[in-house]
Amino acid sequence: MYTINLFESSMHSNHLNNNTFLKFEFDLRVSGNIQFFDIVMSDQTHRLQNILDIQVSAKSNSTFLKKAVGEIQPNIKVFNQSSGYREWEWIFDPNDISALEGVRSGDLHFSIEVKALVEVRENGNRIIPITGSQQIKISESDWIRFIRNFGYSTKYGMTLPTSLLNDTSWTQAYEHLELAREHMQRGFTYDALRQCLSVIESYTDVGNGRGGPYMAKSWDMFLEDVTDQKKSGIIGLLTGVSTYLNKIGHHRNSAHRENGNLPPVAVDQNEAELLLSISQLVVTYLEKLKPNGGNANVR
């Protein structure tokens, strides 16, 4: 339950020096839509006669999105228990959702502002404007369920912590894979996958017949300080990704020929984009596994 303290907002008042006039209370329900419910306007001073108008808006707390998002549809009939109105809907259009997804990195935080015009019993009856605001949160899990109802997917279905994105290992991996991204942007998927493989291979000891990064023994020296069970798991990860990059990106399809030549193994743009993303994570991990990678808990 959220509570917003409301103060008189006329030019003759200073709410910093006033006591709370009214309290606006509500809760949020997030499912197929987003609703304000259990809405109550409480008056401890017993001066409230009537609510003439009310407006409610929401602004994202993101520093990159300083504007109202969505449309909250208030109706003063909700304060009349016999009216049958119980909820207000908070409506988002595709532009609102896209804007929020563009800046979101977890839970969503909003500032809810209420402006109302009320009639009060004071030296007779008079009409005064009141206002107030409060911070609210919509959890990431609730938000993702909500936008999926509209056919949206989210780039944050798997959230990467800010601490990782700001880590030097992530930055180094991004720089190492710059050429692979350039190939991908030009539509050269096989070149992109081969470049990913080349970057991963650069961490191995491929001399002395150890083979490429898809061979377990090529990782022996790089992982020599890692405990055996963890080393086995890491090698499985590295050789598995490298095997895909090698067999799909590097080698041709040896099962048949087209016009006498071996054709490339089929791979579409989406598959290649996925493997580039996976390579970013793998190379980030390799940077952290390096003896000078700054990860003291590798063992």
Side-chain angles (χ1 to χ4, degrees):
M1 178 70 72
Y2 295 98
T3 300
I4 299 179
N5 296 324
L6 300 175
F7 306 89
E8 184 176 349
S9 60
S10 69
M11 63 181 290
H12 303 292
S13 66
N14 180 358
H15 77 265
L16 296 177
N17 299 322
N18 289 348
N19 293 323
T20 301
F21 176 42
L22 295 172
K23 290 182 181 292
F24 175 73
E25 298 174 295
F26 66 95
D27 212 339
L28 280 181
R29 180 187 296 120
V30 183
S31 54
N33 54 9
I34 300 180
Q35 292 178 325
F36 286 61
F37 71 102
D38 286 346
I39 302 166
V40 177
M41 187 83 81
S42 59
D43 171 23
Q44 297 178 342
T45 65
H46 304 294
R47 291 185 294 163
L48 181 64
Q49 289 288 96
N50 197 7
I51 302 169
L52 304 177
D53 187 38
I54 188 166
Q55 298 177 2
V56 185
S57 61
K59 289 186 177 180
S60 167
N61 285 4
S62 169
T63 56
F64 303 104
L65 188 64
K66 288 295 188 180
K67 68 170 189 175
V69 287
E71 180 185 353
I72 300 169
Q73 298 186 322
N75 189 321
I76 58 176
K77 291 181 180 180
V78 78
F79 301 111
N80 183 342
Q81 293 300 310
S82 63
S83 70
Y85 287 87
R86 295 292 178 265
E87 295 89 19
W88 295 341
E89 191 163 357
W90 187 357
I91 296 175
F92 291 85
D93 65 22
N95 290 331
D96 294 317
I97 295 173
S98 296
L100 288 167
E101 282 298 278
V103 300
R104 186 177 66 83
S105 59
D107 298 336
L108 285 167
H109 298 269
F110 299 93
S111 176
I112 301 296
E113 183 179 28
V114 175
K115 295 180 180 180
L117 198 63
V118 298
E119 183 180 9
V120 297
R121 185 187 306 110
E122 189 175 285
N123 299 324
N125 285 359
R126 71 187 184 103
I127 296 172
I128 62 172
I130 57 175
T131 188
S133 63
Q134 176 63 282
Q135 303 297 311
I136 69 164
K137 180 183 78 170
I138 296 179
S139 70
E140 180 181 46
S141 57
D142 282 344
W143 175 252
I144 291 173
R145 281 196 297 271
F146 168 67
I147 65 176
R148 281 176 179 166
N149 289 316
F150 296 88
Y152 280 82
S153 61
T154 172
K155 63 182 178 182
Y156 293 108
M158 178 191 72
T159 301
L160 296 176
T162 303
S163 58
L164 173 60
L165 299 178
N166 292 334
D167 193 278
T168 55
S169 60
W170 179 271
T171 305
Q172 289 290 331
Y174 188 84
E175 292 175 354
H176 293 332
L177 291 165
E178 182 177 2
L179 182 56
R181 289 194 305 277
E182 289 179 4
H183 288 319
M184 193 69 70
Q185 290 166 3
R186 296 168 64 191
F188 298 153
T189 52
Y190 295 102
D191 289 337
L193 296 183
R194 282 193 289 268
Q195 184 60 28
C196 289
L197 180 64
S198 179
V199 171
I200 294 173
E201 185 178 35
S202 69
Y203 293 86
T204 66
D205 175 28
V206 296
N208 301 319
R210 291 179 179 270
Y214 38 82
M215 301 294 292
K217 59 184 179 182
S218 67
W219 295 103
D220 285 342
M221 293 185 64
F222 184 81
L223 299 172
E224 61 182 351
D225 293 329
V226 181
T227 55
D228 289 343
Q229 184 167 337
K230 187 171 185 179
K231 179 178 179 180
S232 176
I234 294 171
I235 287 175
L237 167 68
L238 299 175
T239 56
V241 173
S242 297
T243 296
Y244 182 101
L245 295 171
N246 181 50
K247 287 187 174 293
I248 309 302
H250 182 63
H251 286 293
R252 290 180 172 269
N253 189 342
S254 60
H256 67 279
R257 293 179 177 272
E258 293 179 359
N259 299 321
N261 296 323
L262 297 176
V265 178
V267 61
D268 62 30
Q269 184 78 16
N270 286 338
E271 288 177 297
E273 292 279 3
L274 274 175
L275 264 294
L276 177 56
S277 299
I278 290 171
S279 297
Q280 170 70 35
L281 295 171
V282 168
V283 176
T284 299
Y285 192 25
L286 287 169
E287 280 293 311
K288 297 188 79 67
L289 289 170
K290 280 168 54 174
N292 60 347
N295 187 348
N297 299 313
V298 167
R299 296 182 63 85

